[in-house]
Amino acid sequence: GPKSTKSKIFQLRVPTMEELFNNADLLQDKAQIDLEKTLKEAEKLKEDIKNLSNELKKDEKEITWEENKKIKETAKRLENLQEQIKEAQKKIEEAKENLSENELLSKETLQKYNELQELMDEMNSEDMKNALQKLQEQMESMNRNEAQQNMSDMEFNEEMFKKSIERTVNLLKRIQIEQKMDEVIKRTEELQKNIDELKNETEKSDISNHEEKDRLAKKENEISEQLEKLKEEMNKLQEKMSEFKEMPNESMKDIKEKMDSQKNEELSKEMMEMLQKNMKMSAMENMEQLSNNMEQMKNQMQQMQQQMQQQNQMEVLFEMMKGINNLISLSKEEEALKNSMQSTNPNSDEMLRNVQKQNEIADGLDKTLKGLSELSQKTFAITPEMGQALGNAKKEMNNAMQAMQNKNSS
């Protein structure tokens, strides 16, 4: 008959909350280092593209072999930067998935992670890849004018790419702060749960029994280690928040001071000593105090998190409305100037006034774009499409100024 066989028993080990948080920190730190390195390389590439673009403005009709080689190398370097972005993106995605699957991220933080991924997808868009591929394919048959135009487009694309990396780094730092807040709240919840469980077990235990006392002491020791880790992560959160002046740093300072005044480590140490001396009721009183302290901590952290989110939303709304109003006003001024230009004599005083007005509009646009660019470092509300449209507006304004200068000098 058929013989019975024994199957191997496999044990599936679920990672602890501690391991998940530590792994997420490690992945994100690596991604941030990768992105900052890529940003430095993009800065260098920007300078090289600018120099090559100036070199192509020489009078010679044909592109030299050396220039051809430089253009191809430049396009390849931009491709390599895109690959580096992709690698950093994988690390961030892995960190997000691990935390999300284990319900260690708030809904708001998870949403921001998803938006960050979309932003990074834009940096690896097929449009940019196709443009680079097309440039390399056409190099052999390209004349100098075509090469100049292509380098001008590459210069614009690389500038947008560099700004996207810079924005990604800043937004990642902000997400890490929100994630660290989620983590601290989770840790206080977990600590409170463990303390309450220990209190219930202590109440039911005979602490004159050595085995039961040792088991309780082991759990108490774990709680002591968790308290130490909570304090360490609170310090990390405070350090990360201090990089941004608009963060609720005073609230964070107050919470830290409140935590220090609770003397949780001393309470935990006393608990251990009381258990060893069979002072069951006194030990349970300390457990009750510790549990209440964790509840207070959790509530304070949640309030600060809510305060930060509301403050950020209000600031973003105000700055966006201000930027939109400025753009509408500048658009009306530009339209009026355009109409005025049609009937203006190039050699008249009115033309000089128009040139001056065009410069003022351009300055106004620069200030508005700078304000929106700074805002985009703090929020996902400025989408890549909006950034592209604003970049194009700046490009068109520069073209209009050049055309006006040409008309004035002719």
Side-chain angles (χ1 to χ4, degrees), residues 1 3 18 22-23 79 85 88 103 109 124 141 145 205 214 220 288 291 332 339 343 352 359-360:
K3 294 182 180 178
E18 187 70 40
N22 287 342
N23 186 52
E79 276 184 13
I85 294 291
E103 298 181 346
T109 308
N124 285 301
S141 58
N145 287 337
S205 296
D214 288 346
E220 206 296 313
E288 183 70 26
S291 178
K332 287 178 180 176
N339 293 334
S343 56
L352 290 174
N359 287 333
E360 288 171 7

Side-chain angles (χ1 to χ4, degrees), residues 26-218:
L26 189 65
L27 285 166
Q28 288 175 344
D29 288 345
K30 282 182 179 176
Q32 188 176 320
I33 290 166
D34 289 350
L35 286 169
E36 286 172 346
K37 181 187 170 192
T38 306
L39 181 59
K40 284 181 183 175
E41 289 176 20
E43 288 278 5
K44 178 71 172 67
L45 182 58
K46 178 188 171 184
E47 286 302 309
D48 291 345
I49 289 175
K50 188 178 178 181
N51 292 337
L52 183 53
S53 188
N54 289 335
E55 195 177 315
L56 285 168
K57 288 173 183 173
K58 293 175 183 175
D59 292 336
E60 290 94 335
K61 290 182 181 179
E62 298 299 322
I63 300 173
T64 66
W65 178 85
E66 188 65 31
E67 288 169 339
N68 191 319
K69 184 186 173 191
K70 282 183 183 177
I71 293 170
K72 285 182 177 177
E73 285 174 352
T74 302
K76 187 65 182 170
R77 282 168 67 191
L78 192 48
E79 276 184 13
N80 290 340
L81 292 184
Q82 286 183 305
E83 286 303 314
Q84 287 171 230
I85 294 291
K86 206 179 283 184
E87 288 304 310
Q89 188 177 6
K90 284 178 187 174
K91 292 184 180 80
I92 295 168
E93 177 66 20
E94 186 182 341
K96 182 202 82 172
E97 286 298 320
N98 290 342
L99 293 173
S100 175
E101 284 171 8
N102 291 277
E103 298 181 346
L104 296 175
L105 286 179
S106 67
K107 186 177 69 176
E108 291 79 10
T109 308
L110 179 59
Q111 173 65 22
K112 285 177 182 174
Y113 264 120
N114 291 334
E115 288 172 328
L116 184 70
Q117 291 290 7
E118 287 174 17
L119 177 62
M120 295 182 83
D121 283 339
E122 288 288 328
M123 286 192 275
N124 285 301
S125 69
E126 288 301 315
D127 289 346
M128 189 180 274
K129 285 180 188 172
N130 293 337
L132 288 171
Q133 192 175 351
K134 189 178 176 184
L135 173 65
Q136 292 186 55
E137 287 171 357
Q138 292 178 345
M139 277 310 302
E140 302 306 323
S141 58
M142 201 182 291
N143 63 35
R144 186 167 288 274
N145 287 337
E146 288 170 333
Q148 281 179 19
Q149 183 56 50
N150 274 286
M151 283 309 297
S152 177
D153 292 341
M154 191 194 288
E155 194 171 357
F156 176 71
N157 286 333
E158 201 279 339
E159 176 65 19
M160 298 300 291
F161 181 70
K162 183 182 74 67
K163 284 182 178 176
S164 291
I165 302 172
E166 190 176 6
R167 184 186 181 196
T168 301
V169 170
N170 283 314
L171 288 172
L172 177 60
K173 285 180 181 178
R174 289 171 183 274
I175 292 174
Q176 284 176 317
I177 288 170
E178 296 203 29
Q179 182 202 303
K180 191 58 72 176
M181 280 187 186
D182 290 346
E183 178 184 337
V184 168
I185 291 167
K186 276 286 180 190
R187 284 181 182 277
T188 55
E189 285 175 349
E190 187 75 8
L191 258 167
Q192 187 180 13
K193 179 169 78 74
N194 292 343
I195 293 163
D196 290 343
E197 284 175 0
L198 178 61
K199 181 171 173 281
N200 290 334
E201 286 183 40
T202 304
E203 191 174 9
K204 295 171 187 173
S205 296
D206 175 10
I207 59 173
S208 61
N209 180 299
H210 284 298
E211 283 186 12
E212 288 199 28
K213 189 187 285 185
D214 288 346
R215 182 174 54 81
L216 293 174
K218 185 182 177 184

Side-chain angles (χ1 to χ4, degrees), residues 207 213 217 220-221 265-280 282-283 286-287:
I207 59 173
K213 189 187 285 185
E220 206 296 313
N221 192 52
E265 289 83 359
E266 287 181 28
L267 282 171
S268 178
K269 188 179 176 183
E270 284 173 9
M271 255 165 51
M272 183 83 82
E273 291 169 357
M274 288 166 181
L275 283 173
Q276 293 302 320
K277 293 175 183 177
N278 295 342
M279 298 167 66
K280 185 173 179 177
S282 297
N286 272 28
M287 292 173 197

Side-chain angles (χ1 to χ4, degrees), residues 390-406:
L390 292 168
N392 288 333
K394 169 69 176 165
K395 205 173 178 184
E396 285 175 19
M397 180 71 75
N398 288 341
N399 291 339
M401 286 179 68
Q402 188 62 50
M404 188 176 285
Q405 286 168 5
N406 292 342

